[in-house]
DNA sequence: TTGTATGCGTTATCAT
DNA sequence: ATGATAACGCATACAA
C-alpha cells in the first residue's frame, strides 16, 4: 500500500505535487513533472487513501441512507434510485437498515454522522427522529415523509393524506360497500396521514368501514388478513398502507380462495415494481420514486440553505388488476 | 464539533487520557480523572471523529457489500441478514448496488477499498471479479458464489448445480413432460452451474427440454415468458434460476390465463420470503440465507488465514403451491 | 497515573 | 513551478 510520499520519492518530487496531479489543482504542474508522477503512481499502483483524504478535506463524499427495512420493495427501489442520484453528484451512497428497530435507527444515524457522511437521508420509524447528533455536527438531513415542526431536517414526500384519499375514492367508485383499512403502526406519522385521508374519502359515503393496524411487512399483513378476511362480513375492498402490506393481503386472499378483485378489491400506496408484477397486479397510488430520490439528493447536497425545506411531489393512481374499475378508467 | 483536545482542556488533562477513557485502554485511568473526562465530554457533547480514528487505527470497523441488484429479494434479504451478522462483530455494513453494471461493480469495489473497509463481501456479475485492488491492499474478500481458481477471495455458497438438479428432479417427479429452463446470463458462473444441474437431472428422463436466458429481473422474465408460454407446445414445468425471475414467470402465467401449478409448474432457487408470499406461493430450493451471512461475516472478519477458503452450505427444497407434488411430499 | 510527542496519509498554505 | 510544512483528530509509544 504505497503512499503519496512513495510516489513523490520515485518521481523525484514532493507530496504536494502528487496531490496537485491527482486533484487537478489547486496549483498547476509542469507537464513533464506530471508525467513522471503519473508514471510513478502507475508502477507503484498508488491509490489515494480516502480516509486520509476525508480527514484532511473534512468531507467524505458519501451520503448515508437509513431505511426501516431494505426488503420492503419501496425502500429497495428508492435506494436504487438514490444511489443513481447521488452518483451524479460524485458521491457514494451508504445504505443502513434499521430493521424496524428504533434503537438501531438511532445508532445508524449516529454512526453515519460520526463517520462524517456529507448528508443523511432517512425514513424514520417515528415522527420525531433523533437527529440531535446530526444537526449538531451540521450534517444536512432529509426525511422521506412529513416531519414535526421542530425536527431539524428538510423533507421530500407525497401528500400521504391526499394519496390515501385518492386510493379510497377509487374503491368507492369501484362499488365497494365495506372498505377495510390496513394501516401501519400509528407511531409513524404517515399512518396518521393515511388514516385522515381514509376518513375524508369515506365519511360522506354510504360505505361501512373497518380498520386494522399491523407492522409494515407482508407477513404481518398476511396473518392479520387470514383472520380478518375469514369473517362472514369481511370487507369487499381493502386499502393497504403500502405495497409491502398489500402483497400480504393478496397472499391471504388467495389462500382463502377469494377472487381479487371480484370478491375483494385491493389498493395500496407506493406503486412499486414489485406490485406491478404481483398476481394479480396491484392497483396503487404511485410515488414518484425517481423524482423523490433526485430531489432528496439535491436538497441534501446543495449548499446549506437558510432552513429546512419541505417539498411535496405529485403522485398518480396506477390502476391495475387488483381493483375492478369502471370501463372509463381502463 | 468539539475535539478530544477540547475535552482534555475542559477536564484539565491531556488528549491521551481522553483517548484512554473512550477506548477503555490501553492504559488505565484514575476513577476521578475518568469522571472529569466523561463529565467534560458530556457537557461538550463530544463524539470521537471516526474518520480520524480510522486513519490512526488503520481500520474502519466497516464491511462493504456489493450486490448486483438490491431490489432482488434474495440480495435484500441477504443484506439484512449480513447487517445483523457483522453487527455482532461491532462492524457497520455498507451496501453498494452495482445496478447489474460491471463498470459500476468495479468502481464500487475500488471505492470500498479506497475507503478502507475491513472486508469485502460480494456477488459478482462475472466469473472473475476485478479484485486486484482489494487483494493488493490486503482486504479480505468473500464471494457469494463459486469463484475461478485464480480469484483472490474466499467463497460461501450452496452447490448451485446440485440445487438445480434437485429442483428439476422435483418437476420430473411431479409429472412434467416438457421442462423449460429460464436461466440467467451465462456470464454468471452460477448460470453455468445451474445449466449443468438441469442437464444432469433431465438427461436420463423421458422429458423434452427447452431453454431461455434472460437478465435476472422479474420484468425480463415476464416479457420472455409472455412469448414463450404463448406457444402451442409450451413447457408444462419451468425451472427458474432465481426467485426474482420466478416472480416474473408467475406474473406471465397469470396474464396468459395459465393455472399454476396445473397448466404450469414452477420451481426456482433462492427460497426468499418474497417467494413464500407470492401467488401462488413459490416452490424453491432455499438457500440458508442467515447461515450464509454468518459464515461470510466470519470468514471476512476472522484473522487473515493462510489462503482462500471455499465453503458449501446445505440447501433444502421448500415445496409450496407452484408445483403439484405427490401426496407423500406434502 | 498521566503528559508529551509522533505518526496515520492527505491537503493546502507559505515560502522559494 | 515546486519543495517544505502545518494542519485534520485521534491513538499510542515513550517519558516522567
Amino acid at each position: 500500500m504505497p503512499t503519496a510520499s512513495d510516489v513523490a520519492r520515485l518521481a523525484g518530487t514532493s507530496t504536494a505535487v502528487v496531490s496537485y496531479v491527482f486533484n487537478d489543482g489547486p496549483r498547476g504542474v509542469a507537464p513533464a513533472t506530471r508525467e513522471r508522477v503519473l508514471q510513478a503512481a502507475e508502477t507503484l499502483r498508488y491509490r489515494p487513501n480516502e480516509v486520509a483524504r476525508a480527514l484532511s478535506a473534512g468531507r467524505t463524499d458519501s451520503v448515508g441512507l437509513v431505511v426501516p427495512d431494505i426488503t420492503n420493495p419501496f425502500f429497495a427501489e428508492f435506494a436504487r434510485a438514490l444511489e443513481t442520484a447521488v452518483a451524479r453528484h460524485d458521491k457514494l451512497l451508504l445504505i443502513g437498515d434499521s430493521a424496524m428497530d428504533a434503537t438501531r435507527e438511532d445508532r445508524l444515524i449516529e454512526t453515519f454522522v460520526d463517520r462524517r457522511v456529507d448528508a443523511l437521508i432517512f425514513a424514520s420509524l417515528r415522527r420525531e427522529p433523533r437527529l440531535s447528533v446530526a444537526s449538531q455536527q451540521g450534517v444536512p438531513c432529509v426525511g422521506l415523509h412529513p416531519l414535526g415542526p421542530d425536527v431539524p431536517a428538510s423533507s421530500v414526500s407525497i401528500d400521504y393524506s391526499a394519496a390515501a384519499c385518492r386510493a379510497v375514492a377509487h374503491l368507492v367508485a369501484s362499488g365497494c360497500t365495506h372498505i377495510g383499512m390496513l394501516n401501519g403502526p400509528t407511531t409513524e406519522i404517515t399512518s396518521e396521514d393515511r388514516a385522515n385521508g381514509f376518513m375524508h374519502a369515506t365519511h360522506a359515503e354510504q360505505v361501512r368501514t373497518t380498520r386494522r393496524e399491523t407492522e409494515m411487512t407482508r407477513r404481518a399483513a398476511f396473518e392479520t388478513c387470514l383472520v380478518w378476511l375469514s369473517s362472514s362480513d369481511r370487507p369487499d375492498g381493502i386499502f393497504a398502507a403500502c405495497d409491502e402490506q398489500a402483497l400480504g393481503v393478496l397472499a391471504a386472499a388467495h389462500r382463502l380462495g377469494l377472487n381479487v378483485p371480484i370478491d375483494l378489491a385491493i389498493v395500496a400506496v407506493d406503486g412499486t415494481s414489485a406490485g406491478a408484477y404481483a398476481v394479480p397486479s396491484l392497483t396503487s397510488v404511485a410515488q414518484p420514486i425517481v423524482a423523490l430520490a433526485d430531489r432528496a439528493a439535491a436538497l441534501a447536497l446543495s449548499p446549506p440553505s437558510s432552513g429546512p425545506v419541505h417539498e411535496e411531489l405529485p403522485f398518480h393512481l396506477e390502476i391495475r388488476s387488483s381493483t375492478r374499475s369502471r370501463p372509463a378508467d381502463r
Side-chain angles (χ1 to χ4, degrees), chain A:
Chain A
M1 35 195 164
T3 72
S5 9
D6 296 325
V7 175
R9 195 176 321 119
L10 181 57
T13 179
S14 71
T15 62
V17 173
V18 174
S19 172
Y20 299 153
V21 169
F22 272 82
N23 299 323
D24 273 332
R27 294 268 168 285
V29 176
T33 318
R34 161 184 229 85
E35 198 48 45
R36 289 208 320 279
V37 169
L38 290 175
Q39 197 55 248
E42 176 77 9
T43 60
L44 293 178
R45 299 200 187 294
Y46 166 72
R47 319 201 102 237
N49 180 326
E50 292 293 333
V51 175
R53 187 200 279 261
L55 178 60
S56 181
R59 101 197 111 66
T60 54
D61 290 325
S62 64
V63 174
L65 171 67
V66 178
V67 297
D69 181 7
I70 196 61
T71 69
N72 177 319
F74 174 73
F75 294 121
E77 294 177 23
F78 178 82
R80 199 150 216 259
L82 187 62
E83 171 139 27
T84 305
V86 303
R88 280 200 294 273
H89 296 255
D90 292 312
K91 305 282 184 185
L92 174 69
L93 182 69
L94 308 178
I95 305 169
D97 182 338
S98 69
M100 297 188 283
D101 178 317
T103 305
R104 287 180 74 165
E105 177 182 305
D106 291 342
R107 285 193 45 212
L108 267 177
I109 292 174
E110 290 170 2
T111 302
F112 277 146
V113 171
D114 291 343
R115 285 163 192 262
R116 296 295 188 273
V117 292
D118 298 340
L120 204 49
I121 297 172
F122 63 89
S124 176
L125 296 157
R126 296 159 298 180
R127 44 192 84 210
E128 310 263 315
R130 271 227 207 343
L131 294 175
S132 46
V133 176
S135 64
Q136 199 178 336
Q137 292 286 350
V139 178
C141 296
V142 180
L144 297 174
H145 45 72
L147 298 167
D150 297 329
V151 178
S154 294
S155 71
V156 191
S157 75
I158 62 170
D159 178 339
Y160 282 95
S161 174
C165 190
R166 180 72 190 86
V168 176
H170 175 64
L171 288 180
V172 172
S174 305
C176 293
T177 57
H178 178 181
I179 300 182
M181 170 172 195
L182 184 64
N183 207 355
T186 46
T187 50
E188 296 186 38
I189 194 167
T190 57
S191 296
E192 198 172 319
D193 289 344
R194 278 183 287 241
N196 288 335
F198 181 82
M199 286 203 310
H200 192 78
T202 53
H203 101 285
E205 302 289 338
Q206 297 292 344
V207 294
R208 282 189 58 201
T209 63
T210 321
R211 310 220 216 153
R212 290 285 191 285
E213 279 165 22
T214 75
E215 204 186 22
M216 287 242 188
T217 63
R218 60 192 83 180
R219 163 188 288 272
F222 174 79
E223 277 158 14
T224 295
C225 287
L226 275 192
V227 178
W228 193 8
L229 300 178
S230 297
S231 145
S232 55
D233 68 333
R234 56 172 169 72
D236 58 358
I238 281 198
F239 166 59
C242 59
D243 280 10
E244 170 72 15
Q245 286 185 322
L247 295 178
V249 180
L250 282 174
H254 179 255
R255 169 73 70 87
L256 295 172
L258 298 176
N259 181 303
V260 177
I262 305 299
D263 303 324
L264 181 73
I266 303 174
V267 60
V269 174
D270 274 354
T272 62
S273 147
Y277 290 96
V279 173
S281 62
L282 185 66
T283 294
S284 190
V285 175
Q287 302 210 40
I289 295 184
V290 171
L292 285 171
D294 287 348
R295 289 307 303 155
L299 285 182
L301 296 173
S302 65
S305 66
S306 39
V309 175
H310 299 284
E311 294 191 2
E312 247 174 28
L313 268 49
F315 54 78
H316 75 276
L317 179 66
E318 192 80 53
I319 298 177
R320 292 197 276 246
S321 311
S322 69
T323 53
R324 48 191 187 290
S325 60
R326 296 157 307 180
D329 287 341
R330 303 233 123 203

